[in-house]
Amino acid sequence: MAAARDLFDNHGFHQSSMAELATAAKVSVGQIYRLFKGKEDIISAIVQADADERCLHMDALRNRLDAGELTIEQTFEQLLLHIVDEKDEALSFDIMAESFRNRPVGDTIAAMCVRFRRYIRDFACAANPDLSGEALDGAEEVVLACLFGLGHRSLSRPCLSATDTARLSARMIVAALRAIR
Amino acid sequence: MAAARDLFDNHGFHQSSMAELATAAKVSVGQIYRLFKGKEDIISAIVQADADERCLHMDALRNRLDAGELTIEQTFEQLLLHIVDEKDEALSFDIMAESFRNRPVGDTIAAMCVRFRRYIRDFACAANPDLSGEALDGAEEVVLACLFGLGHRSLSRPCLSATDTARLSARMIVAALRAIR
């Protein structure tokens, strides 16, 4: 998996062959096929591993929020610090392009978003317990978009550091959630 | 250009050959090379055309805002309606992946973001004239991320319609801009 991430990120998912992956991972092509049906299967496993890791992190944050160890603003700040400037960006864009052309990859990404949306909804309600109905639906949509955009902000070559971005964005998100009804 | 968008969107930028593009566009390969140095050049022209079209739209919105024809919330709503659920998404992810592996494509995207950031800053100050310093820098970063994320929300297979998303997001963005200082 680590070798696949590196190879696909540097050279592109479609431009990399199983033979190249076997060389990079120092295994035989046969050994890869014993674990994965093909490249698409490796991609799905990468998305799954990333989703699991992020959900674990959001789960830990939600527990600390519930225990009163973090304010909601600190919770968003920690979440954003984890997301801003993510790794393997070229690969993640390859995977997203693939999700439109390859139904199973699209389904894996959509399932990941369903899991993220649940946490976002909980955090939105923690910021503003009066949120409900379409205001809550809208908040879920905007916060998800915001997290996605901040995770991929490196494309725009920003001046603001990751820590400043996380701090200022958390403040803005909580302010927005409290200002709507 | 239209043939290139269709072909690259459906089959991938790297998986499409100049010969296939010539057939799709009903021209000869030589005719394409008289206009473009190669596929990378076509990609840059597509990004440039999209950036120009979006800036024209933002320019028109800023004029209507300045003339008092639109409130700032209506301005964001119109901007979002134009951006939410964008076309040729698979192609745009291919291009973004390419921007990390191909400096000229990365530079074209970065230049586009510089133009977008100017409009976003103007809109943020229209929502809250007291914004300055790091609060304004943070607002610029969050709003850019939000627009980017909402443009690519189809990945997450959202339930909320494009018009509801534009309306609710505009409300939230303006609320956030007014709540920070």
Side-chain angles (χ1 to χ4, degrees), chain A:
Chain A
M1 293 268 290
R5 277 180 201 268
D6 267 6
L7 181 72
F8 295 168
D9 190 53
N10 286 319
H11 301 287
F13 164 58
H14 286 288
Q15 296 94 291
S16 306
S17 68
M18 281 299 224
E20 285 167 320
L21 177 56
T23 304
K26 293 175 188 161
V27 297
S28 70
V29 171
Q31 280 175 294
I32 301 178
Y33 278 110
R34 268 195 289 280
L35 290 167
F36 301 102
K37 273 179 238 155
K39 280 199 285 181
E40 174 193 298
D41 224 31
I42 301 175
I43 286 296
S44 285
I46 288 175
V47 174
Q48 199 64 55
D50 286 348
D52 288 346
E53 193 253 325
R54 278 192 198 156
C55 286
L56 261 182
H57 184 242
M58 288 201 262
D59 215 66
L61 287 176
R62 193 171 55 185
N63 288 340
R64 293 176 66 195
L65 174 70
D66 290 346
E69 288 168 32
L70 292 176
T71 65
I72 184 61
E73 204 166 300
Q74 288 167 332
T75 305
F76 272 112
E77 187 174 343
Q78 292 301 316
L79 174 58
L80 287 163
L81 270 177
H82 195 247
I83 280 176
V84 165
D85 301 328
E86 61 169 43
K87 303 262 177 266
D88 305 328
E89 284 217 68
L91 172 59
S92 76
F93 284 118
D94 272 347
I95 293 175
M96 291 187 276
E98 186 68 7
S99 77
F100 288 94
R101 298 176 187 130
N102 187 325
R103 188 80 197 185
V105 175
D107 288 344
T108 307
I109 289 185
M112 177 184 78
C113 290
V114 169
R115 295 169 73 191
F116 290 174
R117 282 174 182 277
R118 270 186 226 126
Y119 290 101
I120 290 173
R121 237 175 146 83
D122 286 349
F123 294 147
C125 291
N128 180 354
D130 293 335
L131 274 181
S132 66
E134 78 167 8
L136 180 55
D137 293 341
E140 178 188 307
E141 207 61 27
V142 177
V143 174
L144 183 67
C146 211
L147 299 181
F148 180 77
L150 289 171
H152 296 293
R153 71 183 197 125
S154 74
L155 274 175
S156 75
R157 301 191 187 152
C159 303
L160 218 58
S161 72
T163 48
D164 285 342
T165 300
R167 181 174 50 84
L168 295 165
S169 303
R171 190 190 298 170
M172 246 184 95
I173 289 172
V174 173
L177 292 169
R178 290 196 172 139
I180 54 166
R181 61 189 69 237

Side-chain angles (χ1 to χ4, degrees), chain B residues 95-147:
Chain B
I95 292 175
M96 291 187 276
E98 186 68 8
S99 78
F100 288 94
R101 298 175 187 132
N102 185 325
R103 188 81 195 185
V105 174
D107 288 344
T108 307
I109 290 185
M112 178 183 79
C113 291
V114 169
R115 296 169 71 191
F116 290 173
R117 282 174 181 276
R118 270 186 225 126
Y119 290 101
I120 290 172
R121 236 173 147 84
D122 286 349
F123 294 148
C125 290
N128 180 356
D130 293 335
L131 273 182
S132 66
E134 79 167 8
L136 180 55
D137 293 341
E140 178 187 307
E141 207 62 25
V142 176
V143 174
L144 183 68
C146 211
L147 298 181

Side-chain angles (χ1 to χ4, degrees), chain B:
Chain B
M1 294 269 289
R5 277 180 201 269
D6 267 6
L7 181 71
F8 295 168
D9 190 53
N10 286 319
H11 301 287
F13 164 58
H14 285 289
Q15 297 92 292
S16 306
S17 68
M18 281 298 224
E20 286 168 319
L21 177 56
T23 304
K26 295 177 188 159
V27 296
S28 70
V29 170
Q31 282 175 293
I32 301 177
Y33 277 110
R34 269 195 288 281
L35 290 167
F36 301 101
K37 273 180 240 156
K39 279 199 286 180
E40 174 193 297
D41 223 30
I42 301 176
I43 287 296
S44 284
I46 288 175
V47 174
Q48 199 64 53
D50 287 349
D52 289 345
E53 194 252 324
R54 277 191 199 156
C55 286
L56 261 180
H57 184 244
M58 287 201 262
D59 215 66
L61 287 176
R62 193 171 54 186
N63 288 339
R64 293 177 65 195
L65 174 69
D66 289 346
E69 288 167 33
L70 293 176
T71 64
I72 185 62
E73 203 166 302
Q74 288 167 332
T75 305
F76 273 113
E77 188 174 343
Q78 291 301 317
L79 174 58
L80 287 163
L81 270 177
H82 195 248
I83 279 175
V84 166
D85 300 328
E86 62 168 43
K87 302 265 177 263
D88 305 327
E89 284 217 70
L91 172 59
S92 74
F93 285 119
D94 272 347
I95 292 175
M96 291 187 276
E98 186 68 8
S99 78
F100 288 94
R101 298 175 187 132
N102 185 325
R103 188 81 195 185
V105 174
D107 288 344
T108 307
I109 290 185
M112 178 183 79
C113 291
V114 169
R115 296 169 71 191
F116 290 173
R117 282 174 181 276
R118 270 186 225 126
Y119 290 101
I120 290 172
R121 236 173 147 84
D122 286 349
F123 294 148
C125 290
N128 180 356
D130 293 335
L131 273 182
S132 66
E134 79 167 8
L136 180 55
D137 293 341
E140 178 187 307
E141 207 62 25
V142 176
V143 174
L144 183 68
C146 211
L147 298 181
F148 180 77
L150 289 171
H152 297 292
R153 72 185 195 122
S154 74
L155 275 174
S156 75
R157 302 193 186 149
C159 302
L160 217 57
S161 71
T163 49
D164 285 343
T165 300
R167 180 173 51 83
L168 295 164
S169 304
R171 192 190 296 171
M172 245 184 97
I173 290 171
V174 173
L177 291 169
R178 290 196 171 139
I180 53 167
R181 62 190 68 235

